[in-house]
Amino acid sequence: MIKETDVLIIGAGAVGCAIARELSVYGRRITVLEKEADAGFGASGRNSGVVHAGFNNPSGSLKAALCREGNRGFEKLASDLGIGFLRTGKLVVGNTERDLESLTRLKIQGERNEIDELEILDEEEIRRREPALRGKYALWSGRTGIFDPFEYTLALAEDAASGGVRFLFGHEVKSLRREQDGIRVLAETSAGDPAEFLSGIVINAAGVGSARIFRMTGKDTYRVLPCRGEYHLLEKGSFGSIGRPVYPVPDPEKGVLGIHLTPTLHGNLMIGPSAEFTEDPEDMANTAPVMEELLAGARYLLGEDCSFRLIRSFSGIRPRIVEKDGTPVTDFRMEEDPDLPGMIHLLGIESPGITASVPIAKRVAGMLREDGSQPQDRLLTERDRSRFPRVKEAAGGRMICRCETVTEGEILQAVENARKLGALPTMKGIKNRCRASMGSCQGGFCTLDISRLLKDKAGIPTDRLTYDGPGSELFTGVLKGGEDQ
Amino acid sequence: MIRKEVIIIGAGPAGMAAAVKLESMGFRDLLVLEKEEQPGGVLRQCIHPGFGLIRFGRNLTGPEYSLEYRNRMEEAGIPVCYDTTVLKVRKGEDGGIIITAAGPDGTKEYYCDAAILASGCRERSRGALMIAGTRPAGILTAGTAQGMMNLLNTKVGERIVIIGSGDIGLIMARRFTLEGSRVLCVVEKEDVCGGLSRNRKECLDDFGIPLVTGAQVVRIYGEKRVRSVTIREDDGLERTVECDTVVLSAGLIPEDGFVEGEVPGLFYCGNALYVHDLVDEVSESGEEAAMDAAGFLLSRGSGRETFSRYASEEVPRVRKERRAYVERRKEEKRLHRDDHHFITCIICPNSCRIDLRDLSGGQCPRGEVYARNEKEHPYRILTTTVLTEKGEPVSVRTDVPIPLEELQKGVETLQRFRVPGPVKTGEILLRDFICPGTNLVATKGSTE
Ligand SMILES: Cc1cc2nc3c(=O)[nH]c(=O)nc-3n(C[C@H](O)[C@H](O)[C@H](O)COP(=O)(O)OP(=O)(O)OC[C@H]3O[C@@H](n4cnc5c(N)ncnc54)[C@H](O)[C@@H]3O)c2cc1C
Ligand SMILES: Cc1cc2nc3c(=O)[nH]c(=O)nc-3n(C[C@H](O)[C@H](O)[C@H](O)COP(=O)(O)OP(=O)(O)OC[C@H]3O[C@@H](n4cnc5c(N)ncnc54)[C@H](O)[C@@H]3O)c2cc1C
């Protein structure tokens, strides 16, 4: 059976969810297909969580414009979505005369991009703002901030769902075809079943998978060059006072911002990311040399003699795109396929992609509005959000996760919210929603308590519990009396 | 604000011992705060034997050892708030201690003159070990694996590699094997086994599980679930072992993150102070901390300085001493690297140390006979779990040791066995189990 829909979005990352939310005010039938079990399992859950100001991007680029727009609107957006955001400011730190030149160039570029609150600081001023830091010169950016990318992506998704958007998880898009009355999209469910959709508009927001979707249209204009970024997550209170992101002077050769320190809203510190090209866009491993390189990168900023209390390492993939002849695509690409009307591709949505996700969504909406449809309801904030209560509000019952002080009530609410979104409740989805097992014991204590709670009160048998979807079962079965249960 | 003279944080063996001791010294205004809904701490999931040989001169399982103290605590009428997690311990303005705890009816503040910290320890997680690779399902700590099996009746893996040769890892190697999983090897980065020789022998050697010392797991592979690990040995050679589960037994860390700085009047004990080898020592440290707390309370205002190795101020020094001791002991272990090949003859008080490989070392022929028996027909206590009719796992043991080669059969026999009705601790569930005259006894009752 073919399911018909007006708009079909491929990918439930920050960008796909922002688009879904933006379009949900037009009163159309919108479906989001996501291959993973939940929203935000791609790059949107594996990044630095920095709301960039926009001085790093070449003047005149889409990246610069949309980043600035995203940055300016973030307070309002965060309050609309009911999520955390801190405008911390950030430091880009250098040591040599050459670094100072680079910093000055960055400042000029920033000013050209109409970014305010940029300032060059001397050593004394750096120490005053961040005593733990080493460095002679710094560029200060007062507009930069931090947020929680899991919370953000899920809030966008929940808001979209409150506006009637339908999310289908565990649906991997396999092929696209033009039909008379729209585009036919063939997906495969995680159970291996086919699912077919027919939609007038299809939006490719598949992140690192977007080049693959592009090729499904029969063209080979782009190739993805996965560029992995590894991170270490440090225990809360590490280096006590670091209250804002701290970057080294970027290396223009690499086209990335360099190994930096980022505090999280929850008080942890992240070191990373590295930048390394990989073959496999799904290879999210950490590698021994890079794990050391990250520590060296942090020592560059904090001094040689510091030691680190790691609680987890992870990585994310930047969807770097090159054209067929190898020319790198350095800006966001948002384009409608001239041969396949209604097919919109979003390519190369690298950093500052999450900062720019809502402006990107607005542009996409603009591209579609040309067909004359009007928003039915502009008041996104007055939707029935009560369907997805904030997990914190459900606090109560036993304390399950000691490290992050997460209660029974919050975990059950996380499960309920996942289910309402249409997602499969998984350990990772629960963690992303309420932080249970994200702390320093990494589930050493609470895996058992969470498993028991899910079995007793959420109807999830322990032997079916997964980390992040089918195939990632946490346990391999029932110990005693397995056959007769 | 709830006021008490002394508050004890944690009702594990250390906390229970401290509470009982304080009560016996005449302190009546006590309160124990415990995160779980039952006392016992980590002993609740330690269903294996090996506890209490020093304290009680008997080879008890964890739940049995715990029950001894639970009974004493209940007889003394010491109040315990269960389901109550301490979130913060800090110094009050006027010298007392303020404790913030989240309980069944919200977060409350407690105020006391002295407190005992007996919150145990946690296990080092993968993150702290800097192991490269992916982060699939199937990586868990030994304690989590133990809890999942013994309290939640869950099988954690089929083909298992254990990282670290701490006692919990060794204990779990045996338990996995008896429950039908395969333990491929235990990988230890030091050149000696981390755990006790007794555990090395009875948990690994008894089952032919290889211990690879001087080696490290350097990478974990697998996208959704663990598929393999790469082990690098001393000589730099790497090999890949296919497995679906990685169990970490690579160190324990005292759990005191919720204490804010030095808190005068707060006394640390048990694994919250530093990690002890034996529960018997933990109980002792609980009692000693209780005596120090008593000394502190009685001498308050008298101007006399009280000195205590358990006091909050002393913790860094005591932990440092302990680290030095552990290092020294590692040296000793290096000297007695083959300790697990020896047994101590218990036929007479001579206690000869006999080499199991060639049966030498006895002062009389009885030693050789004892050792031959031990080598050729070793006997072991079987501990495992069985299900009640309602599906609740309860822990059981044989009352006497049975032949080692019968252990597996014992576990298999119980695979489909269901205990009818509620179970009481100490109840005999099966008579003539495996061997005539052997009983299968419940070491912990059901909750029904
Ligand atoms: C290391 C790193 C650090 C970064 N730091 C920052 C930062 O600090 N600030 C910032 O603004 N940006 C940052 N970014 C960029 C930002 O994370 C991304 O631009 C943003 O998350 C992209 O969102 P997305 O929705 O396009 O992609 P994703 O979040 O990857 O979402 C795409 C989704 O599509 C799904 N999908 C793929 N193929 C298919 C298919 N065939 N069928 C169905 N579904 C499919 C995927 O499973 C995925 O969920 C960083 C990125 C990386 C990698
Ligand atoms: C897996 C394992 C196997 C072992 N095997 C053996 C063995 O074979 N033989 C042997 O002699 N010893 C063994 N031991 C050692 C012995 O069991 C432990 O050393 C002993 O249980 C430690 O006692 P404790 O009271 O210090 O800590 P725990 O037993 O850990 O008790 C701490 C208690 O404090 C509570 N708590 C923690 N944080 C809070 C908080 N914030 N608020 C309120 N309550 C809190 C916990 O819930 C727990 O009940 C083993 C230990 C482990 C971990």
Side-chain angles (χ1 to χ4, degrees), chain A residues 284 286 444 473 476-477 480, chain B residues 133 135 144 153 155 225 384-385:
Chain A
M284 245 96 63
N286 285 85
E473 281 69 24
T476 57
K480 290 285 155 73
Chain B
R135 293 158 302 280
T144 302
N153 193 39
K155 199 163 189 196
R225 173 97 195 176
T384 181
T385 50

Side-chain angles (χ1 to χ4, degrees), chain A residues 74-87:
Chain A
F74 221 90
E75 267 96 0
K76 165 90 174 39
L77 179 62
S79 101
D80 284 354
L81 293 173
I83 64 164
F85 169 56
L86 261 185
R87 216 176 264 288

Side-chain angles (χ1 to χ4, degrees), chain A residues 55-184:
Chain A
F55 58 80
N56 279 302
N57 309 107
S59 307
S61 62
L62 262 182
K63 277 187 181 168
L66 299 186
C67 182
R68 182 186 59 218
E69 191 182 326
N71 183 299
R72 289 193 178 155
F74 221 90
E75 267 96 0
K76 165 90 174 39
L77 179 62
S79 101
D80 284 354
L81 293 173
I83 64 164
F85 169 56
L86 261 185
R87 216 176 264 288
T88 53
K90 104 171 184 181
L91 289 160
V92 189
V93 182
N95 282 302
T96 63
E97 289 293 319
R98 257 193 77 201
D99 288 345
L100 180 60
E101 273 170 40
S102 308
L103 292 174
T104 312
R105 266 201 307 277
L106 270 183
K107 180 166 182 277
I108 294 168
Q109 174 168 282
E111 281 158 355
R112 222 181 288 138
N113 295 353
E114 294 169 50
I115 315 293
D116 47 10
E117 295 185 50
L118 295 174
E119 203 185 325
I120 300 280
L121 307 182
D122 61 15
E123 195 165 357
E124 194 184 328
E125 190 55 30
I126 297 172
R127 287 288 185 141
R128 205 182 61 77
R129 294 190 195 192
E130 285 297 350
L133 220 62
R134 304 291 164 87
K136 281 209 169 75
Y137 313 104
L139 173 63
W140 164 257
S141 158
R143 307 274 325 155
T144 308
I146 57 173
F147 70 114
D148 176 341
F150 306 118
E151 188 186 32
Y152 174 67
T153 306
L154 288 166
L156 289 172
E158 289 171 0
D159 214 24
S162 305
V165 173
R166 186 149 170 253
F167 283 83
L168 294 174
F169 293 99
H171 278 67
E172 179 167 2
V173 172
K174 291 286 189 184
S175 68
L176 301 164
R177 194 170 70 222
R178 185 177 179 169
E179 301 259 307
Q180 225 164 18
D181 39 2
I183 302 168
R184 188 193 281 250

Side-chain angles (χ1 to χ4, degrees), chain A residues 248-271:
Chain A
V249 173
D251 174 358
E253 301 273 287
K254 282 200 155 169
V256 290
L257 299 181
I259 294 167
H260 48 263
L261 309 174
T262 316
T264 70
L265 281 187
H266 312 283
N268 302 89
L269 192 69
M270 293 196 297
I271 305 176

Side-chain angles (χ1 to χ4, degrees), chain A residues 402, chain B residues 9-15 33-36 40-43 46 48-51 84-86 118-121 146 168 171 198 255 258 270-272 276-280 282:
Chain A
R402 295 186 222 179
Chain B
I9 302 167
L33 303 178
E34 168 56 51
K35 179 188 177 290
E36 301 295 325
V42 80
L43 295 179
C46 294
H48 56 278
F51 298 83
T84 304
T85 302
V86 171
S119 46
C121 60
Q146 187 179 46
I168 317 169
I171 300 278
R198 177 186 82 192
E255 172 78 355
F258 46 84
N271 285 356
H276 295 68
D277 290 325
L278 297 174
V279 73
D280 310 68
V282 164

Side-chain angles (χ1 to χ4, degrees), chain A residues 384-402:
Chain A
D384 185 14
R385 280 256 190 62
S386 57
R387 278 184 63 208
F388 294 98
R390 296 275 141 245
V391 286
K392 275 275 161 248
E393 285 158 23
R398 276 188 68 195
M399 183 68 64
I400 301 283
C401 167
R402 295 186 222 179

